[in-house]
Amino acid sequence: MTSPKKHLVKDFNHFITCYVCKGYLNKPTTVTECLHTFCKSCIVQHFEDSNDCPKCGIQVHETNPLEMLRLDNTLEEIIFKLVPGLREKEQQQEIEFWRSRKSKENGEEDGPRSKRSRLNDEGDDGGDGDYHRSDPQIAICLDCLRNNSLVEENIVRGLMKKFIRCSTRVTVGTIKKFLSLKLKLPSSYELDVLCNGEIMGKDHTMEFIYMTRWRLRGETAYPMVLEYRPRIDFG
């Protein structure tokens, strides 16, 4: 009786390497239109300049290809089992990345937590180790109110990329911080975030707004549209 053939890791490289960077898939992310899988960072960066799949060339989405991406956690676990030491190597690289950025963060805490504290919700205890990656996600269009006088004076402008995808637990306060950072607004400006013309409170989550303001008013369009307008704090 012949013994079963042993396979080398390189025999599976076609299935576990990224077409863009040629390395092992890091946070494997699949394009739902064509089912091709890439590193998350590779495909997100690619979609900054193109709406087409880098492997087959199919148009993924006319305006927002990021909406058509899905993480493949099962494939990630398979890769970690096939390639000894890969998980530990990626974790070490992430630690070194954040350590190298420490000097640029004005003395903020090292690691992913420092980035999260700048952009994520204010009241979290930070206890969930995946930083909301496993939460239900929602697609949002952040639209600038063009009839606002401050916009007309070019004090604030629309985002170059107004479509985002985030956890349903993200609050309006977090969205305001994100907008202020992206638009490089001075601290003297505050932003109002509106849904269907109504100003949203800073503690409202995206899920709450979707359920009580967007869906219940008969809106069927996707993604959910949030509008923003700046206001000067004279206090």
Side-chain angles (χ1 to χ4, degrees):
M1 181 177 178
T2 59
S3 58
K5 180 182 177 182
K6 293 184 178 180
H7 292 277
L8 301 176
V9 173
K10 66 179 183 179
D11 296 333
F12 301 96
N13 277 354
H14 176 73
F15 304 101
I16 61 176
T17 54
C18 176
Y19 178 82
V20 177
C21 70
K22 311 304 181 185
Y24 290 119
L25 288 165
N26 186 345
K27 293 181 175 58
T29 302
T30 300
V31 180
T32 58
E33 283 296 290
C34 58
L35 300 183
H36 289 133
T37 302
F38 310 90
C39 298
K40 180 180 178 180
S41 58
C42 290
I43 190 61
V44 170
Q45 186 174 5
H46 172 80
F47 281 157
E48 290 183 358
D49 301 314
S50 173
N51 293 339
D52 302 335
C53 172
K55 188 170 185 178
C56 67
I58 188 176
Q59 185 181 66
V60 176
H61 194 278
E62 290 185 358
T63 57
N64 186 25
L66 295 178
E67 174 63 26
M68 312 307 291
L69 297 180
R70 297 294 183 272
L71 285 172
D72 192 336
N73 295 320
T74 301
L75 179 57
E76 183 177 45
E77 288 302 317
I78 292 174
I79 295 172
F80 285 150
K81 291 182 184 299
L82 282 173
V83 186
L86 183 61
R87 186 196 302 267
E88 293 75 15
K89 181 180 178 181
E90 288 186 358
Q91 290 174 344
Q92 184 61 34
Q93 287 176 339
E94 186 173 2
I95 291 172
E96 292 174 357
F97 170 78
W98 287 109
R99 187 173 293 155
S100 68
R101 287 177 57 91
K102 186 176 181 180
S103 61
K104 302 177 183 179
E105 301 295 345
N106 299 322
E108 289 185 356
E109 178 184 353
D110 196 13
R113 171 63 186 167
S114 65
K115 182 178 179 181
R116 179 174 177 256
S117 64
R118 294 194 304 277
L119 294 181
N120 274 5
D121 44 307
E122 302 85 10
D124 265 5
D125 57 8
D128 54 339
D130 66 355
Y131 308 108
H132 304 305
R133 292 189 188 100
S134 60
D135 285 357
Q137 303 289 299
I138 186 170
I140 300 170
C141 173
L142 296 172
D143 210 2
C144 182
L145 278 176
R146 297 293 176 181
N147 59 350
N148 187 276
S149 61
L150 296 177
V151 176
E152 292 169 358
E153 295 170 11
N154 204 29
I155 295 176
V156 73
R157 61 196 180 283
L159 294 170
M160 290 185 64
K161 295 182 180 297
K162 61 182 181 179
F163 294 96
I164 66 171
R165 187 176 181 85
C166 62
S167 165
T168 56
R169 293 170 57 187
V170 164
T171 65
V172 169
T174 301
I175 297 296
K176 288 182 179 182
K177 289 182 179 181
F178 172 79
L179 288 168
S180 294
L181 182 67
K182 287 294 185 182
L183 299 173
K184 299 180 180 179
L185 294 178
S187 58
S188 58
Y189 289 95
E190 276 190 37
L191 292 170
D192 286 330
V193 173
L194 304 88
C195 182
N196 290 328
E198 179 183 353
I199 296 177
M200 298 290 101
K202 70 180 182 67
D203 294 323
H204 287 0
T205 65
M206 298 300 102
E207 181 179 27
F208 176 81
I209 295 173
Y210 178 79
M211 298 296 290
T212 64
R213 300 299 193 277
W214 187 251
R215 193 178 72 171
L216 290 187
R217 292 194 177 183
E219 296 285 358
T220 58
Y222 192 77
M224 179 171 72
V225 177
L226 295 181
E227 297 174 314
Y228 62 91
R229 66 186 183 198
R231 64 183 180 196
I232 301 178
D233 183 6
F234 294 100

